[in-house]
Amino acid sequence: MNTIGLTILVRMGNCLCARETIEINGNKYYIRDSIGEGGFSTVVLVESATSHKLYALKRITCHAQTDEKVALSEVEFHKALCHPNIVECIDSDLVGVPDLVGNKTSQVLILLPYFPRGTLHDELIRRQETNTPLEETTVLTTFRGICEATLCMHSAKPHPLAHRDIKTANVLLKEDFTPVLMDLGSTARARVEVNGSSDARKLQDEAAEKSSMAYRAPELFNVEAFCHIDERTDVWSLGCLLYALCFYKSPFEAVYERGDSVALAVVSGNIKVPDSHPYSKDVIELIESLLKVNPEERPYVDWIVNSVDQLINKSAGAV
C-alpha cells in the first residue's frame, strides 16, 4: 500500500456502496465509501452496524499462502507496536482460503481508526496553496511525535524494526494536530546483512516496491553486494519529512515530478533550501544532519529526539 498511504481517512463523499456489509470477527460493518487502492490492497470507509462509529478498513487480497504470511505480518507489527503516535489496529481478521488452481483468494482485514483531519500530506498541500507555512514550534513538536513513533519501532524487541516508508502521506493528524504514523505494510527488520548480489537485488526490489522514491534512503537505491543496512534508512526519510514540514514537499519531490532520476538526485545529496523562509538556522542544520548520503554519518533517532527537545526549549526561551 505504498501509494495510497491511507490518505484516506478524510474522504466520506457520497455513499458508493449503499448497504454492502462486511463482517470482522462476527461484528458487522456497512461499507460507506471506497477510499483508494494500490497493489493488492484497498481501503474503504466503514460504519459499525451497532455503534455507527466510522473506521477505515484496509483489505489485503492474498493469492497464495506466501501473500497471507506477508499480510498477516503487518497485523503482527501492529500488535507489537503500541504507541500513541502509531496508528492502532482495532481489529483484524482473515477471510477465505487462497487457491491458485481454483483462482480463489483470501483477504486480510485490518480495522483502523478514522481521522477526519486526514494526513500531513493533505495539510501541507492546503498550506502550500495559500503559502501558509507552519510555525517553527509546530514543525518541531509535530516532527518530535513522528520521531517518537520511529523510536518505538527502532527499539522493538527482539529485534529493531524499520518503517521503510516514512513520508507525509503516511502520517495522520488528530484534531489537535498530534501526528500518527501509519501503514506498516512496508515494515521490516531494521538491520540487514547483505551477503552477495542475490541478497542485494532482493532488498533493492523490496525497497522499489514498498519505499517511496522521494523519501527512500540512498543505500536502498543501489544496494551493495556486501554491506550492512540498519535503522538509519528511516533517519533519511525523517530528514525528507522535516524538510517537507518546512517547505511543503520532500527535497526530491520536484525531481520526481519532472521525471528526472530521483536515484541520481538522492545519491548526489544536493539539498536546496529556499533563499527566503521563516525557520531558524538550527532547524536547517538539523535537516542537513539527517540527510547525509553516507548512513554512518547519520544520527540515531534518540539523538534526534533530544536535539528537537533542545530546539523546542530554545524557541520557547527556556535556554
Side-chain angles (χ1 to χ4, degrees):
M1 209 174 89
N2 187 29
T3 54
I4 49 180
L6 302 172
T7 19
I8 109 174
L9 312 180
V10 124
R11 240 186 92 208
M12 286 179 61
N14 296 322
C15 180
L16 300 180
C17 324
R19 302 302 286 177
E20 183 184 349
T21 63
I22 192 166
E23 284 197 5
I24 303 173
N25 293 317
N27 296 312
K28 187 165 74 171
Y29 298 87
Y30 299 118
I31 297 178
R32 290 279 303 270
D33 201 358
S34 174
I35 296 174
E37 61 182 83
F40 296 111
S41 66
T42 61
V43 179
V44 292
L45 186 68
V46 299
E47 175 190 348
S48 167
T50 53
S51 70
H52 302 292
K53 188 174 180 179
L54 295 173
Y55 298 94
L57 176 64
K58 182 175 181 179
R59 303 194 287 190
I60 308 170
T61 301
C62 306
H63 295 269
Q65 295 277 341
T66 51
D67 298 335
E68 267 189 14
K69 184 177 179 182
V70 172
L72 289 170
S73 70
E74 184 172 345
V75 175
E76 292 305 311
F77 289 139
H78 273 289
K79 291 178 180 177
L81 298 167
C82 181
H83 191 276
N85 294 108
I86 297 177
V87 70
E88 175 192 8
C89 173
I90 295 168
D91 203 354
S92 63
D93 205 353
L94 173 62
V95 180
V97 178
D99 181 1
L100 286 172
V101 177
N103 197 28
K104 295 179 180 179
T105 61
S106 64
Q107 277 196 340
V108 172
L109 307 175
I110 304 177
L111 191 68
L112 304 163
Y114 168 68
F115 289 79
R117 188 162 187 161
T119 67
L120 180 57
H121 174 74
D122 301 327
E123 176 73 19
L124 293 174
I125 286 178
R126 288 191 290 268
R127 287 180 171 273
Q128 184 177 29
E129 290 172 349
T130 58
N131 192 25
T132 312
L134 291 166
E135 293 184 359
E136 182 163 319
T137 302
T138 303
V139 166
L140 291 171
T141 53
T142 304
F143 184 61
R144 190 190 188 284
I146 299 164
C147 287
E148 285 281 4
T150 310
L151 181 58
C152 173
M153 299 186 75
H154 293 185
S155 305
K157 304 295 182 185
H159 46 256
L161 297 171
H163 186 283
R164 295 268 179 87
D165 198 26
I166 295 172
K167 58 182 180 180
T168 57
N170 277 341
V171 177
L172 292 158
L173 293 175
K174 293 183 178 180
E175 288 303 317
D176 63 358
F177 217 83
T178 298
V180 180
L181 187 62
M182 68 172 178
D183 198 353
L184 304 185
S186 56
T187 301
R189 289 195 182 196
R191 298 169 186 173
V192 181
E193 293 294 336
V194 179
N195 294 303
S197 57
S198 177
D199 284 354
R201 274 195 308 271
K202 180 182 177 184
L203 181 55
Q204 193 168 308
D205 289 346
E206 287 176 356
E209 179 187 351
K210 297 181 177 181
S211 304
S212 301
M213 292 184 76
Y215 290 81
R216 191 187 310 164
E219 61 271 26
L220 295 178
F221 276 97
N222 296 295
V223 181
E224 297 179 6
F226 293 92
C227 66
H228 173 76
I229 303 290
D230 67 20
E231 55 265 44
R232 285 172 290 186
T233 54
D234 281 348
V235 170
W236 175 275
S237 302
L238 287 170
C240 293
L241 188 143
L242 179 56
Y243 183 100
L245 276 166
C246 296
F247 308 116
Y248 308 117
K249 294 182 177 181
S250 157
F252 305 104
E253 206 84 51
V255 179
Y256 178 79
E257 290 169 353
R258 288 196 306 267
D260 293 339
S261 172
V262 177
L264 192 61
V266 167
V267 172
S268 73
N270 292 326
I271 310 299
K272 180 175 174 53
V273 174
D275 295 329
S276 178
H277 60 79
Y279 303 107
S280 68
K281 181 182 176 183
D282 291 331
V283 170
I284 303 305
E285 288 179 348
L286 179 58
I287 292 171
E288 293 171 345
S289 73
L290 308 184
L291 293 176
K292 297 290 186 183
V293 174
N294 181 354
E296 295 299 322
E297 296 178 10
R298 290 177 221 146
Y300 290 93
V301 179
D302 54 352
W303 180 91
I304 302 173
V305 171
N306 290 333
S307 298
V308 171
D309 282 344
Q310 291 176 24
L311 294 185
I312 291 172
N313 291 334
K314 186 175 181 179
S315 66
V319 292

